[in-house]
Amino acid sequence: MKFCSACAHPVSLSIPQGDNRLRHICSHCGLIHYENPKMVLGSIPVWDAEGDLRILLCKRAIEPRVGYWTLPAGFMENCETTAEAAFRETVEEAGANIVLHELFSLINVPHVHQVHMFYRATLLDLDYKAGVESLEVKLFHPDEIPWDDIAFQTVSHTLRFFLEDHAALENGGHYRFHTLDIVKPAQVTAPD
């Protein structure tokens, strides 16, 4: 940040009185500009017809990670609840009709200043279509999930948590709430 959003004068980094972190402070009006993590909300939309579980994934049409698969998710907007944001993102990216269930995972990604949250969801029908941010939307059987082409670690972890919990249902288990901190980015290597 270079300029104040209130008066357009230059800002500088310093620690405000009573604070312990560097903040952008306007040199003219004194306004402190706080930067806080962004919330990414999404869902795990499933179709489970007579025990034949399928999970809806979207192939990204936008950066970052264009062409890779993800759960429908995106940044929360102002004046939304987390559930409203997850529902909206599922409709926007996958055109899916869902019933949203409980919050399933919360993953902190501090190196990119984000918190990712995914709700369990049930598809009401198979009438879905790619939105403008998706190249393709497809149902995957757990054995067909393209693990090497999943866009983000938060999605891989959430899918693994979900599949573990789903498998445990047969033995009296249940869906649990999962948390995780991803404290550094994954190492990506170039193909040979």
Side-chain angles (χ1 to χ4, degrees):
M1 173 175 250
K2 294 183 180 182
F3 300 99
C4 178
S5 60
C7 71
H9 280 80
V11 297
S12 60
L13 279 174
S14 62
I15 299 173
Q17 184 176 358
D19 203 337
N20 61 2
R21 296 180 188 270
L22 287 173
R23 310 286 185 186
H24 289 98
I25 303 175
C26 179
S27 59
H28 180 73
C29 72
L31 183 65
I32 301 169
H33 297 274
Y34 294 95
E35 293 180 288
N36 300 106
K38 298 203 180 291
M39 310 297 283
V40 175
L41 275 294
S43 72
I44 312 158
V46 300
W47 180 259
D48 195 354
E50 299 176 18
D52 186 23
L53 177 73
R54 307 286 169 151
I55 301 171
L56 192 69
L57 297 178
C58 303
K59 186 180 274 190
R60 292 180 59 81
I62 60 172
E63 291 294 350
R65 309 288 286 162
V66 67
Y68 285 81
W69 293 94
T70 187
L71 291 165
F75 290 112
M76 184 174 175
E77 297 289 348
N78 290 333
C79 300
E80 280 185 318
T81 67
T82 56
E84 289 169 340
F87 186 89
R88 176 186 52 77
E89 286 291 342
T90 303
V91 171
E92 287 178 1
E93 294 188 5
N97 300 310
I98 60 167
V99 170
L100 211 59
H101 303 296
E102 76 281 354
L103 183 61
F104 180 77
S105 66
L106 184 151
I107 302 176
N108 295 298
V109 195
H111 63 275
V112 292
H113 319 295
Q114 295 177 2
V115 178
H116 293 212
M117 291 183 254
F118 292 93
Y119 283 81
R120 278 193 331 103
T122 300
L123 288 165
L124 294 175
D125 54 46
L126 296 177
D127 183 24
Y128 54 83
K129 62 188 175 307
V132 295
E133 295 182 2
S134 300
L135 296 171
E136 180 182 356
V137 179
K138 183 178 174 183
L139 281 173
F140 288 91
H141 185 274
D143 295 338
E144 301 169 335
I145 293 174
W147 293 107
D148 291 338
D149 293 325
I150 297 295
F152 306 107
Q153 290 183 69
T154 55
V155 172
S156 293
H157 286 294
T158 296
L159 287 169
R160 290 182 198 286
F161 293 149
F162 178 81
L163 293 173
E164 288 170 9
D165 285 3
H166 188 77
L169 293 177
E170 292 179 11
N171 297 321
H174 60 279
Y175 291 110
R176 300 173 295 136
F177 175 66
H178 298 268
T179 63
L180 179 70
D181 295 337
I182 298 175
V183 294
K184 62 181 181 176
Q187 299 297 320
V188 179
T189 57
D192 293 335

